Amino acid sequence: MTDERDKRAWREEILARRSALPAADREREAAALAAAAGALADAEWVCAYVPVGGEPGSLAMLDALRAAGARVLLPVTGEPGPLEWAEYTGPAGLRRGRFGLREPEGVPVANGIAKAAAILVPALAVDRRGVRLGRGAGYYDRSLSACRADARLIAVVRDDELVERLPEEPHDHRMGWALTPLGGLRRLEDRVGN
């Protein structure tokens, strides 16, 4: 992979690799991420997400966070703009939301993202500087402006999706951490912010 490619080319390649990943590998990685989630047990509130398609993670990761004592907030999608967040109470408390995403049934928590000490952000890739490649809709970039200044912004990716350099735009929010199946929680180098 070269640095010169635009975001669309990165997205196409990573999505193709994810769709080719055998189910057994995906399950093994999801179990490793659930085990690594214990590193976030010191956070009272954690924002996370329910994985879709080939995204790393699983409901087991959310349950592990809850078992460690964290209150877990998940995004509730609406019109383009910042995300709202509602508390995850377990798999039975999820419903189909916009875009077919699974979302909590509960009422959104006022200023939910501002409560979180850790925010697990879905990513297609993240580079060692903390530049995150998302799917391109901008929901997270618009939402992260409201997070606490000391919140740990954590991109959740597969190990080969932690890369040297990604294209960056002025509106991109840098991550301070990456959570990967093999590497666990690791601080990113040359980071700006958290």
Side-chain angles (χ1 to χ4, degrees):
M1 292 188 217
T2 63
D3 295 345
E4 294 79 35
R5 291 185 306 164
D6 65 10
K7 288 184 175 185
R8 190 174 86 201
W10 278 97
R11 287 184 182 105
E12 289 172 2
E13 182 176 322
I14 293 166
L15 289 170
R17 282 197 326 241
R18 282 184 175 181
S19 68
L21 189 68
D25 291 348
R26 202 173 283 125
E27 290 170 15
R28 187 175 62 253
E29 289 180 350
L33 288 170
L40 303 172
D42 60 337
E44 179 182 355
W45 291 91
V46 176
C47 286
Y49 64 95
V50 177
V52 295
E55 286 181 334
S58 65
L59 292 179
M61 182 172 70
L62 306 178
D63 292 335
L65 288 165
R66 289 183 67 226
R71 295 181 72 180
V72 179
L73 296 173
L74 299 177
V76 177
T77 56
E79 296 302 317
L83 294 164
E84 291 189 304
W85 301 84
E87 190 164 1
Y88 171 69
T89 58
L94 296 175
R95 63 171 168 79
R96 289 273 172 218
R98 189 174 190 184
F99 310 118
L101 301 175
R102 294 168 70 188
E103 302 175 348
E105 291 178 328
V107 175
V109 173
N111 301 313
I113 198 168
K115 295 179 185 309
I119 303 169
L120 297 175
V121 182
L124 292 173
V126 66
D127 73 18
R128 298 195 185 283
R129 302 171 301 147
V131 176
R132 171 188 158 268
L133 178 68
R135 291 190 179 253
Y139 279 99
Y140 276 89
D141 285 317
R142 287 188 292 272
S143 300
L144 292 173
S145 297
C147 72
R148 295 172 20 179
D150 65 343
R152 286 183 286 177
L153 303 182
I154 306 164
V156 182
V157 293
R158 297 181 62 239
D159 288 274
D160 66 351
E161 296 166 353
L162 176 56
V163 301
E164 285 303 317
R165 191 172 189 86
L166 289 167
E168 183 176 21
E169 295 180 57
H171 65 269
D172 292 336
H173 283 267
R174 286 195 181 188
M175 306 289 104
W177 303 82
L179 180 64
T180 67
L182 295 176
L185 185 64
R186 59 177 101 169
R187 194 174 198 115
L188 297 172
E189 305 162 12
D190 302 326
R191 62 182 187 71
V192 172
N194 306 325

